Coordinates of all heavy atoms in Angstrom, one line a residue:
Chain A
V649 N 8.1 47.3 -19.0 CA 6.5 47.4 -19.2 C 6.4 46.7 -20.6 O 5.4 46.0 -20.8 CB 6.2 49.0 -19.3 CG1 6.7 49.7 -20.4 CG2 4.6 49.0 -19.5
R653 N 4.0 43.5 -21.7 CA 3.0 43.8 -22.7 C 3.0 42.4 -23.5 O 2.0 41.9 -24.1 CB 3.2 44.9 -23.5 CG 2.7 46.3 -22.9 CD 2.5 47.4 -24.1 NE 2.2 48.6 -23.5 CZ 0.9 48.9 -23.1 NH1 0.0 48.0 -23.1 NH2 0.7 50.1 -22.6
S666 N -15.3 40.7 -17.3 CA -15.7 42.0 -16.9 C -16.0 42.1 -15.4 O -16.1 43.3 -14.9 CB -16.8 42.5 -17.7 OG -17.9 41.7 -17.6
S678 N 0.5 38.6 -12.0 CA 1.6 39.4 -11.7 C 2.7 38.7 -12.5 O 2.8 37.6 -12.6 CB 1.9 39.0 -10.1 OG 2.9 39.7 -9.8
I679 N 3.6 39.6 -13.1 CA 4.5 39.1 -14.0 C 6.0 39.4 -13.5 O 6.3 40.5 -13.1 CB 4.3 39.6 -15.4 CG1 3.0 39.3 -16.0 CG2 5.4 39.0 -16.5 CD1 2.5 40.1 -17.2
D680 N 6.9 38.5 -13.6 CA 8.3 38.7 -13.4 C 9.0 38.1 -14.6 O 9.1 36.9 -14.9 CB 8.7 37.8 -12.1 CG 10.1 38.2 -11.7 OD1 10.9 38.9 -12.4 OD2 10.5 37.8 -10.5
P697 N 2.2 41.4 -3.2 CA 1.8 42.1 -1.9 C 0.6 41.5 -1.3 O -0.2 40.8 -2.1 CB 1.4 43.5 -2.5 CG 2.1 43.6 -3.8 CD 2.3 42.3 -4.3
P698 N 0.5 41.5 -0.1 CA -0.6 40.9 0.6 C -1.9 41.5 0.2 O -2.1 42.6 -0.1 CB -0.3 41.0 2.1 CG 0.6 42.2 2.2 CD 1.3 42.3 1.0
M700 N -5.6 43.1 0.3 CA -6.1 44.0 1.4 C -7.7 43.9 1.4 O -8.4 45.0 1.5 CB -5.7 45.5 1.0 CG -4.2 45.4 0.9 SD -3.3 46.8 1.3 CE -4.2 47.7 2.6
G702 N -9.9 43.4 -0.9 CA -10.7 43.6 -2.2 C -12.0 44.4 -2.1 O -11.9 45.4 -1.3
E703 N -12.9 44.0 -2.7 CA -14.1 44.8 -2.7 C -15.2 44.6 -1.7 O -16.2 45.1 -1.5 CB -14.9 44.8 -4.0 CG -14.1 45.3 -5.3 CD -14.3 44.7 -6.5 OE1 -15.5 44.9 -6.9 OE2 -13.4 44.1 -7.1
R704 N -14.8 43.5 -0.8 CA -15.8 43.2 0.2 C -15.9 44.3 1.2 O -14.9 44.9 1.6 CB -15.2 42.0 1.1 CG -15.5 40.6 0.4 CD -15.3 39.5 1.3 NE -14.1 39.7 2.0 CZ -13.5 38.6 2.7 NH1 -14.0 37.4 2.5 NH2 -12.4 38.7 3.4
Q706 N -16.0 46.3 4.4 CA -15.4 46.0 5.6 C -16.4 46.3 6.7 O -17.1 47.4 6.7 CB -14.2 46.9 5.8 CG -13.0 46.2 5.0 CD -11.8 47.3 4.8 OE1 -11.9 48.3 5.2 NE2 -10.8 46.7 4.2
Chain B
E514 N -6.9 54.3 2.0 CA -7.4 53.1 2.2 C -7.5 52.2 0.9 O -8.6 52.0 0.4 CB -8.8 53.2 2.8 CG -9.2 52.0 3.6 CD -10.8 52.2 4.1 OE1 -11.1 53.1 4.5 OE2 -11.4 51.1 4.1
R516 N -7.9 49.1 -1.5 CA -8.7 47.9 -1.3 C -8.1 46.6 -2.1 O -8.8 45.7 -2.4 CB -10.1 48.1 -1.9 CG -10.9 49.3 -1.2 CD -11.0 49.0 0.3 NE -11.8 47.9 0.5 CZ -13.1 47.8 0.6 NH1 -13.7 49.0 0.5 NH2 -13.8 46.7 1.0
G518 N -4.0 44.7 -2.6 CA -2.5 44.8 -2.3 C -1.6 45.4 -3.3 O -0.8 46.0 -3.0
N521 N -2.2 49.1 -3.2 CA -1.4 49.6 -2.0 C 0.0 49.7 -2.3 O 0.8 50.6 -1.8 CB -1.8 48.6 -0.9 CG -1.0 49.2 0.4 OD1 -1.1 50.2 0.8 ND2 -0.3 48.2 1.1
L543 N -13.3 51.3 -8.4 CA -14.4 50.6 -7.7 C -15.6 51.5 -7.6 O -16.7 51.0 -7.5 CB -14.0 50.1 -6.2 CG -12.8 49.1 -6.1 CD1 -12.5 48.8 -4.8 CD2 -13.1 47.9 -7.0
R549 N -13.6 51.4 -14.8 CA -12.8 50.2 -14.6 C -12.6 49.4 -15.7 O -11.6 48.8 -15.9 CB -13.6 49.4 -13.4 CG -12.9 48.1 -13.0 CD -13.7 47.5 -11.9 NE -13.0 46.1 -11.6 CZ -13.5 45.4 -10.6 NH1 -14.5 45.8 -9.9 NH2 -12.8 44.4 -10.3
Q550 N -13.6 49.3 -16.6 CA -13.4 48.5 -17.9 C -12.6 49.3 -18.9 O -11.8 48.8 -19.6 CB -14.8 48.1 -18.5 CG -15.5 47.2 -17.6 CD -14.7 46.1 -17.1 OE1 -14.0 45.3 -17.7 NE2 -14.8 45.8 -15.7
S556 N -5.5 51.9 -22.1 CA -4.1 51.6 -22.1 C -3.6 50.2 -22.7 O -2.4 50.0 -22.7 CB -3.7 51.6 -20.7 OG -4.3 50.8 -19.9
D557 N -4.6 49.5 -23.1 CA -4.2 48.2 -23.6 C -3.5 47.3 -22.5 O -2.4 46.8 -22.7 CB -3.4 48.2 -24.9 CG -3.3 46.9 -25.6 OD1 -4.2 46.0 -25.3 OD2 -2.4 46.6 -26.3
F570 N 1.5 56.1 -20.1 CA 1.3 54.8 -19.3 C 2.7 54.2 -19.0 O 3.5 54.0 -19.7 CB 0.5 53.8 -20.0 CG 0.4 52.5 -19.3 CD1 -0.4 52.5 -18.2 CD2 1.0 51.3 -19.6 CE1 -0.6 51.3 -17.4 CE2 0.9 50.2 -19.0 CZ 0.1 50.2 -17.8
I571 N 2.9 54.1 -17.7 CA 4.2 53.6 -17.1 C 4.2 52.1 -16.8 O 5.0 51.3 -17.2 CB 4.6 54.3 -15.9 CG1 4.8 55.9 -16.3 CG2 5.8 53.8 -15.3 CD1 6.0 56.1 -17.2
D575 N 3.8 45.6 -10.8 CA 5.1 44.7 -10.8 C 6.1 45.7 -11.6 O 7.3 45.7 -11.2 CB 4.9 43.6 -11.8 CG 4.0 42.5 -11.1 OD1 4.1 42.4 -9.9 OD2 3.3 41.8 -11.9
K579 N 9.7 46.9 -10.1 CA 10.9 46.6 -10.6 C 11.6 47.8 -11.0 O 13.0 48.0 -10.7 CB 10.7 45.9 -12.1 CG 11.7 44.9 -12.6 CD 12.1 43.9 -11.7 CE 12.3 42.6 -12.4 NZ 12.6 41.4 -11.5

Side-chain angles (χ1 to χ4, degrees):
Chain A
V649 65
R653 282 200 185 282
S666 55
S678 186
I679 300 171
D680 191 343
M700 302 210 38
E703 294 153 63
R704 277 200 311 205
Q706 282 162 358
Chain B
E514 201 185 324
R516 300 302 296 273
N521 182 50
L543 298 180
R549 184 178 178 174
Q550 295 317 309
S556 55
D557 190 22
F570 178 70
I571 297 298
D575 295 328
K579 211 52 136 187

